[in-house]
Amino acid sequence: MTLVFHNLRKQYGSHVAIDDVSTVFQPGLIHGIIGPNGAGKSTLINMTAGSYLVSGGRISLDDRTLSGLKKYQIANSGVARTYQNIRLFDQMTVLENLEVCFYPTQVGQVWREILWPPFAAKRRINRRDVCMELLSFFGLQHYADAEAGSLPYGRQRMLEIARALVTNPRVLLLDEPAAGLNHHETTELTARLAELKSPDRIMIVVEHDMDLVMSVCDRIVVMHHGKLLFQGTPAEVQASSDVQLAYLGTANDIDDIKTAAKDRRAQLGIRARRRT
Amino acid sequence: MLGILIQQTFNALTIGAIYALIALGYTMVYGVLRMINFAHGEMFMLGAYAAFLALTLFVGDIGGVGALALTLVFAVAVVGVGLVGVGIERLAYRPLRNSNRLAPMLSSLGVSLSLVTGVQIMAGPQPVAFPSFFPATRIGILGGTVTLVQIGILVAAFVLMAALYVLVNRSRAGIIVRAVSENRSTAQLLGINVNLAISLVFFFGPLLGAAGGILYASYYGIMTPTMGAVVGLKAFTAAILGGIGSIPGAMLGAFILAFVEVAGTALLPVLSGGLLGTEYRDVLAFVILILVLLVRPAGILGEPVSEESMVYKREF
Amino acid sequence: MSSVDTSVQMRMRGGRLLSLLILATAVALIIVTPFLPNYYVRVANGLLIYILLGIGLNIVIGYAGLLDLGFVAFYAVGAYTYALLASPQFDLHLPFLLIVVIAAAVGAITGILLGLPVLKMRGDYLAIVTLGFGEIIRIVINNLDWLTGGPKGIARLDKASIAGIELARPTEIYWLLIVVVFAVAIFVWRMEKSILGKAWAAIREDQDAARGIGINTTNAKLAAFATSATIGSIAGVIFAASQRFVSPDSFALQESVLIVLMIVIGGIGNILGIVIGAAILILLPEVLREFAEWRILFLGLLMIVLIIVRPAGIVPRTFGPEKLIRGLFGK
């Protein structure tokens, strides 16, 4: 059970936002996607969730092709996401924000619930239990009947993650979950994310907060100008001079970076030799 | 045959010019506020009534009035309606600028209804004969008859549209409006007076709509308080057809719609073997509307809605 | 802490009193009305039909957040279905209940046929397309003389009857309407409280995020549209059966706008609000007879003012029927 990008490509007119990205996301691990602004991190998330069309290549989950499906179909295949700018249903209560995710895929179920009160009551209680449990996990149980839009910003972030989790998705896409959170909230988020790791769940986090990424992620994909620059464990990423240059340097092209990195390695090598 | 063709072409051009004047108001308002202004058809109606009022107040009798006096009446009426438009925006739409998308549309429905009934109460619900602003001279062109009224309407409409084109593309006011249409929040950050831009749109939009109303009333020689509804709807169709938010699109859409309507009215009874008469002319416009929205929702000159703006756009 | 408790208790007691008062008044009015002179019963019937229309249109506007300005078309579809199937026009005289079922089906199908192309599009175009559709239906009715009788309409419609009981006098129609209004209101209320109602709310709030959590928004909107059309069509049948005459005049464009107005004034998305809105819309001109023509002007201005100062309408969304019931039992 893996989520695979096969030669993924995204183009706006002549501008190539994602260029030939192929990678595999494993279940039971938290994958981070990092890179400077405009590197194409959010575009990857948006394509996976079906918010953007794929211009070339393919996304597949298990053996099923996701790219090309409608957004709600992708969601129903077990892909859930959060948004860079929080997008809750502001005027619905916190509990309703979760309950609505149980919208059935079969129309018959919908009508049965309207026309047959006992069935509706049973379903409602089941839904409520699952949702309340999840709310407690995120420390939101006391807000259950409050309007989602009235929650403090940090709580809204947590609620959005809870909403993504409520149907127990196989792929969880988090688009900058720590954006706008204070230090305390970020710590809490880090702890929650670690707890959410499960052997049958693929978690992908796009994030700017390096402390969070390095502490919580098992694998990291580094994007640069729409291309996949590097992938590996946090330690490997930290050690990679390519990555350091992408973040610190001014090089525009991956090849530039690689050459520059080689030069720098050579320099460092010389320097290191001199020291010893 | 050629004569009929020329005559019908002029009929279509005349109607198209009037639709274009109204469609411009819809498209400009949609450009800056992304709202459908249901009260815009009423600006068209108000124009005719305002001109009638100005005529009876300042001139008295229409016979023997010079062109200058008529132009003055025309100017007073359209500027008056323009100011009404600005006032309506201030009172009924501005307080709703940050609410959901449904609210301003509902408010404009209320405005529309209030204006129609207001005029009904003051001027009576019955149709009123409207004096022609142009002498009823007929001109023969290659076997077809074209009235001076038609030519006058075409000239007036094109002068107004040309003036708008210059205003939008060459003046400072035009730059402000275009900037706000492009991206309101960015324009605001750059220090552009967004309120001024919106007021300008709500001045010139109703002004053109009112001009359309006066020309329409003097073309058909009649005005009613409810005349704005159907013509407004057609002008809106024209705006969508051309690509809502696009000024040249509104003009193009208006002429296309007018030609289809005139051709359809002439051909429908023939093609359907008499089953569908000319009374289905109005249906034609709405069928076109639905077809355009199905096939190319962005319209002919409109920019297709990009995926990004779809993702981060809240529907009401 | 204890002061907070007492204030909550007091608010509960106040709520209970209010609920009791509202329900008692409603029951009293329902029971007393049929014993009033026929004129009042007729006014009440008009009111009930508008409540029915309001409940139907509110599904689309209040729950799903879509502006439908051609609702009156479905009302016309229902009325003409009855007129064609129970009149000398084609000498067809089908039983009333069968026509209700047929009209409901025809209404639903019309709704789906119009909704399919439109509901995939951007929300703000829906208003204009439905407005156009309302006009198309009216123009067609006006001109299809062989079928609809044109502007003259169709007269001498059959009296409605259910199981041999004739429903023709105002009080009989009144009881029919009371039953239908309650049945429809309960059904729609259940819809709102179901998962479908929550999906509508999500679509209203953020359509794209609703898709993102797996809601087939086109289908959910279509369900709203079709249900609303069905209710409009049923209201049309009862209207035709009570008037025993139909003509295009009853289905003008303005009628659609008036129903929208009624919902907005009463309280968008709330069945109780619709009752209040309909009462204002229908009773106002009856009370102020000599100012009849000022009524729509007044309503139009009231709508603008309300949207600006009290967007939720007179009865806000949160004060729904469940609040009344809960208030009554003090839960």
Side-chain angles (χ1 to χ4, degrees), chain A residues 10 12 51-53 87-88, chain B residues 307-308 311-314:
Chain A
K10 177 71 195 176
Y12 301 101
S51 296
Y52 292 178
L53 295 172
R87 295 179 72 175
L88 291 167
Chain B
E307 289 168 46
E308 280 83 337
V311 170
Y312 292 112
K313 193 193 95 172
R314 288 206 161 196

Side-chain angles (χ1 to χ4, degrees), chain A residues 201-261:
Chain A
R201 183 177 292 142
I202 301 167
M203 288 173 68
I204 302 175
V205 184
V206 165
E207 190 47 71
H208 276 300
D209 185 327
M210 281 306 135
D211 287 344
L212 184 140
V213 173
M214 293 304 164
S215 60
V216 92
C217 293
D218 306 296
R219 294 278 184 282
I220 294 176
V221 170
V222 186
M223 296 292 297
H224 188 70
H225 287 285
K227 289 184 178 141
L228 198 155
L229 176 67
F230 187 85
Q231 54 183 334
T233 63
E236 287 165 359
V237 169
Q238 275 168 323
S240 158
S241 44
D242 294 6
V243 176
Q244 283 173 15
L245 248 144
Y247 266 92
L248 304 171
T250 51
N252 279 325
D253 202 79
I254 287 189
D255 293 333
D256 286 0
I257 291 172
K258 293 216 161 125
T259 352

